[in-house]
Amino acid sequence: MDWKIEVVTVPVSDQDRAIDFYAGKVGFAVDIDFKVSDEVRLVQMTPPGSACSIHLATPRMGMQTGSLSGVFLVVPDVLIAHAELAERGVEVGEVLVFDDGAYRPAREGESLDNVGCVFFSDPDGNRWCVQQIPVRG
């Protein structure tokens, strides 16, 4: 039996602001934006090429705003991803390498496969890592 992660909940204070950030700046597609009632709005978005989506949850849905950390987006080229995010207005950190148990700045010309990454946060402080993973065959 396959077990797949389908949706990750992202706790945000303002769904409209989060949609502007994730769709407008990061480039996620808005899959669902449905207002169930004055208190409940379902918003689901998917990163380009991903089989896993995110769900934008407000504080009344039980999670602390800005508490998400440790979710990785994977890309074949972290340098290109860094440039795209910066170009779209996302405050993204420098390219780092995980080396000997800690992150350090990447060195020019070194392999970034499986160790190169950048970090960014959404307007609520939810922290994301974008990691370079070679294309899996």
Side-chain angles (χ1 to χ4, degrees):
M1 170 180 356
D2 290 340
W3 295 50
K4 300 177 182 178
I5 296 175
E6 192 72 24
V7 178
V8 173
T9 300
V10 179
V12 300
S13 60
D14 181 317
Q15 288 173 313
D16 287 320
R17 182 176 71 171
I19 290 169
D20 287 344
F21 178 78
Y22 286 107
K25 289 189 174 184
V26 183
F28 289 17
V30 178
D31 304 319
I32 300 169
D33 187 354
F34 180 73
K35 189 172 183 178
V36 176
S37 68
D38 288 340
E39 294 80 33
V40 179
R41 178 179 175 192
L42 302 175
V43 179
Q44 185 169 311
M45 308 174 80
T46 305
S50 180
C52 184
S53 301
I54 64 169
H55 172 254
L56 302 179
T58 57
R60 68 181 160 275
M61 295 176 178
M63 292 179 70
Q64 182 179 355
T65 298
S67 62
L68 181 79
S69 184
V71 176
F72 284 62
L73 297 164
V74 297
V75 296
D77 190 319
V78 73
L79 297 173
I80 291 173
H82 180 272
E84 286 181 8
L85 288 170
E87 183 177 289
R88 293 178 185 154
V90 176
E91 291 184 30
V92 61
E94 67 181 313
V95 177
L96 302 173
V97 168
F98 190 74
D99 183 25
D100 200 25
Y103 288 102
R104 62 161 173 80
R107 297 181 188 117
E108 189 171 332
E110 77 179 312
S111 174
L112 300 174
D113 285 349
N114 300 311
V115 294
C117 60
V118 295
F119 292 91
F120 70 89
S121 295
D122 72 11
D124 285 300
N126 294 299
R127 190 166 185 242
W128 292 83
C129 177
V130 181
Q131 181 181 12
Q132 180 168 313
I133 301 289
V135 177
R136 298 173 182 152

